[in-house]
Amino acid sequence: MWYAVAAGLLACLATGAAACNAPRAAVVGEVAVAGGSALVTRAWYADPTTDYDHAIFGRATTAQVLRAEVAGADGCLILTAAAGDGHVFEDTAPRIVDLDGDGRAEVIAVRTSLTQGAQLALYGVRGDALAVLATTPYIGQARRWLAPVGGGDIDGDGRIEVAYIDRPHLDRVMRVWRFDGAALTEVYRIPGLTNHRIGDPVISGGFRTCGGVTETVTADAGWTRVMATRIVGGRAVMRDLGPMGQGAFAAALRCGG
């Protein structure tokens, strides 16, 4: 096994075709699967821990490592990045998106400090390692969390943004960032939206593209309506897609409403 240090975090590479069998035990949350011919084909969290007493998903465990399956000329490999000392991954599943248009998908993760709360972290394949490429600031307080929406061109400028809900049970603000290959820069803030309720095992909504228009799908702050949001002329345009109910998010993501 080969090890490298990237941005202060430990990254490791496990070699051999057997490494690309389906994830077994110790998976925390769901396995993300990339579409198309992405370099990163799957990603997931693993190695559960009870070090962080938050239970935002109604379970006691968070994850200690992020793993990504990488397709190569000689088959596939598993890359692993540790959350690092005093940190865990606090999420349902990673998200695989090419955020800077270089043809190499980034892996979006929620990395949480035991003392400073959550931050969004982008990981990418660099050489033989799964390296940290950029992070947002920590929220700044323990047991304060963010819920990813995903990645998409929310303002129609041809570049991909990444969005999350900052403190979905408290502030309920969607924050939108752009990755330029080296850093994340915040470009929009949109209040009055959320995508998670305390104890829910899933993060609801995401990005959709319907009729050539890319929007986020979330709930309103009161969790009574499903909302579609995009940026037009630098301003947020929100549309009410209908009442909250069973299957409402899935229908909206399929371009209903």
Side-chain angles (χ1 to χ4, degrees):
M1 187 171 290
W2 178 89
Y3 294 86
V5 175
L9 301 181
L10 186 66
C12 67
L13 170 64
T15 60
C20 287
N21 292 337
R24 300 186 184 91
V27 173
V28 180
E30 302 297 323
V31 177
V33 180
S37 56
L39 175 64
V40 176
T41 54
R42 294 189 298 174
W44 61 94
Y45 300 112
D47 293 1
T49 178
T50 56
D51 285 350
Y52 190 53
D53 181 19
H54 195 200
I56 203 68
F57 300 117
R59 51 175 161 81
T61 56
T62 51
Q64 298 179 83
V65 302
L66 168 68
R67 292 201 169 106
E69 179 183 279
V70 179
D74 298 324
C76 62
L77 302 170
I78 300 292
L79 303 180
T80 300
D85 291 344
H87 291 78
V88 296
F89 291 109
E90 192 179 18
D91 197 1
T92 56
R95 290 141 189 88
I96 305 170
V97 183
D98 182 2
L99 292 172
D100 58 0
D102 68 352
R104 297 181 296 181
E106 285 72 43
V107 180
I108 303 169
V110 180
R111 181 175 177 259
T112 296
S113 161
L114 305 190
T115 58
Q116 299 181 74
Q119 65 177 183
L120 197 78
L122 301 186
Y123 291 79
V125 178
R126 296 296 183 266
D128 289 331
L130 184 61
V132 178
L133 305 181
T135 63
T136 62
Y138 295 109
I139 291 175
Q141 182 179 343
R143 298 177 181 84
R144 294 295 182 264
W145 180 66
L146 61 86
V149 178
D153 183 9
I154 194 173
D155 56 7
D157 69 350
R159 293 176 290 180
I160 302 298
E161 288 79 37
V162 58
Y164 62 78
I165 303 295
D166 186 353
R167 288 159 284 187
H169 322 116
L170 297 171
D171 282 21
R172 301 179 179 92
V173 174
M174 185 162 70
R175 299 178 66 176
V176 182
W177 300 70
R178 188 171 292 136
F179 179 56
D180 65 2
L184 281 161
T185 303
E186 189 171 12
V187 287
Y188 307 109
R189 288 193 186 194
I190 307 165
L193 300 170
T194 188
N195 60 351
H196 186 263
R197 297 178 297 178
I198 293 175
D200 279 359
V202 299
I203 297 170
S204 298
F207 272 83
R208 73 175 192 176
T209 299
C210 303
V213 175
T214 298
E215 304 168 301
T216 61
V217 174
T218 64
D220 67 341
W223 202 268
T224 60
R225 313 294 296 182
V226 179
M227 306 298 295
T229 304
R230 63 186 176 118
I231 303 295
V232 179
R235 295 179 178 273
V237 175
M238 291 186 280
R239 295 191 299 117
D240 186 331
L241 299 181
M244 189 63 66
Q246 185 175 3
F249 283 115
L253 291 171
R254 294 194 301 266
C255 298

